[in-house]
Amino acid sequence: MSLPEIVSRAHWHAARAELLAKEKAVARAGDALNAERRRLPMVAVDREYLFEGGDGEATLPDLFEGRRQLVVHHFVCPPEGDAGCRGCSAFLDRIGNLALLGARDTAFAVVSRAPYTRILPFKARMGWALPWYSSPTGDFDEDFEVTPERDGGPVGRPGLSCFLRDGDRVFHTYSTHGRGLDGLGSATSLLDLTALGRHEEGEDGHDACGGQDAYDGQDGQGG
């Protein structure tokens, strides 16, 4: 791989300004896509799913932990074996403190087909403190398109599904699978997948501090 061209500082600033204009265009397009995702129709979840977790049996509404929204990571961890998918493991390693999600009224949970008795030692070995549940019957995986049959492979495919709770009703708002998880992991990237978003004025293209275009700064994608 060749190294970048060596130029003067003035030449670098000119090239940087040209690239910055493209970065801002990409950021604006990303914001428009996020807004369109928030307007995506939702589907009522009328089927009852039963999971097993650290506190025993749980339903899908239980996974919300009293919050308005829920992001579920479909972790490929088949019933046999002593480890989960490497790609799924790398994704969970990118998940940081869940406090920002919680502050935005959003819960996060991991769901796998493997029995909880197998999930627990693997989770401990990896050092994760995330809420993790078993869905051994496979009906949750089937309905949200992460089963082996959907993937064409032997163990299924990773994915993320987002849910919204309105009173006693639960709605499915969004799902993405496989390569759709690339670049995700931060709290803001997960919130951008949800129907209620980040709960920030900047989502409408305005800076919460001054009302100006969030991309009018001198450098950085939004600075």
Side-chain angles (χ1 to χ4, degrees), residues 18-33 215 220-222:
E18 183 178 345
L19 180 63
L20 178 60
K22 296 177 181 178
E23 289 176 339
K24 289 181 177 181
V26 170
R28 288 190 180 98
D31 284 349
L33 185 62
Y215 302 101
Q221 289 189 33

Side-chain angles (χ1 to χ4, degrees), residues 6-18:
I6 299 174
V7 298
S8 67
R9 177 60 62 178
H11 189 150
W12 182 89
H13 275 298
R16 178 69 187 101
E18 183 178 345

